[in-house]
Amino acid sequence: MELGGIGAVLFDMDGTLVDSDAAVERAWECWAAEYGVDPAAAVAIAHGSPAEATIRRLLPALDDATVAAAAARQLALQYDDLSDVRATLGAHELLTTLARLGLPWAVVTSADARLAKARLGAAGIVAPVLVTVEDVRVGKPDPEGYQRAAALLDVPVARCLVVEDAEVGLQAGRAAGAMTAALKGLDGDLRLNNLPQLTRQLQ
């Protein structure tokens, strides 16, 4: 894939820029125990999706108010669990390279603003543009978040590279019309083993 035409990079947060997989899974396992859901089933579909969307898939009979309360409980379990949250391998070096190249970047996450700022802070990352689930009408796999980030950076979305570690996020990037870079063995326009690989290709 030719990276010379990229005008901006749009990152997912959890599992992409921030190593928070263990915290995410602990929260969903605890939530699942409280709500009588198979923890493995919850963890299997939770990564990358807004909490409400995941809960609707797990408990389709719940009404809107109960889903909202369940999602609030799920997020509450995550807010203070930052003990092992850190930047992913090569994240800081990649962001330094983007700054040197003059490439703008943003974070687009299914987390709310409180959780996103807490996790990014724990990882030592300050996002110049942050789009959270609170900034969009529909979360991933809907493309709105990535479209909004591109607009805020004033870069055509077709010239943006979306970096994701979850299939729902890659679907959102494709639907937005962006190029995609996929981690964790997933399929995108560019397949990455890790972020240092992207840093090398950009230089």
Side-chain angles (χ1 to χ4, degrees):
M1 175 182 168
E2 177 54 53
L3 297 180
I6 289 174
V9 182
L10 312 179
F11 293 100
D12 172 52
M13 182 180 72
D14 292 308
T16 298
L17 277 185
V18 177
D19 183 356
S20 55
D21 286 357
V24 170
E25 291 178 7
R26 283 194 299 270
W28 277 107
E29 287 167 355
C30 183
W31 179 91
E34 293 181 7
Y35 280 80
V37 171
D38 176 15
V43 168
I45 65 170
H47 287 287
S49 296
E52 285 198 9
T54 300
I55 290 164
R56 288 185 190 280
R57 290 179 64 187
L58 292 167
L59 297 170
L62 296 185
D63 59 39
D64 289 350
T66 307
V67 169
R73 172 57 181 157
Q74 208 287 323
L75 286 170
L77 290 166
Q78 299 192 48
Y79 288 142
D80 298 321
D81 187 356
L82 302 172
S83 60
D84 53 0
V85 174
R86 57 182 57 84
T88 53
L89 172 69
H92 286 291
E93 293 80 4
L94 175 54
L95 298 179
T96 297
T97 297
L98 294 181
R100 179 174 56 78
L101 295 172
L103 282 174
W105 60 278
V107 172
V108 179
T109 176
S110 294
D112 67 4
R114 176 180 171 185
L115 182 58
K117 290 174 182 177
R119 285 194 176 145
L120 289 167
I125 294 171
V126 178
V129 168
L130 174 62
V131 177
T132 74
V133 72
E134 295 165 309
D135 298 315
V136 297
R137 292 162 298 174
V138 185
K140 301 173 186 177
D142 189 272
E144 184 182 357
Y146 283 120
Q147 291 167 337
R148 180 175 175 83
L152 290 169
L153 293 176
D154 197 25
V155 176
V157 72
R159 293 190 59 221
C160 293
L161 179 68
V162 165
V163 185
E164 273 277 1
D165 75 313
E167 184 55 38
V168 291
L170 291 166
Q171 290 172 13
R174 292 186 199 105
M179 296 170 279
T180 57
L183 292 158
K184 298 183 180 176
L186 297 175
D187 192 28
D189 297 309
L190 181 65
R191 298 182 70 172
L192 299 174
N193 295 319
N194 50 42
L195 294 183
Q197 182 181 352
L198 179 56
T199 300
R200 290 192 297 272
Q201 295 199 34
L202 287 168
Q203 291 176 335

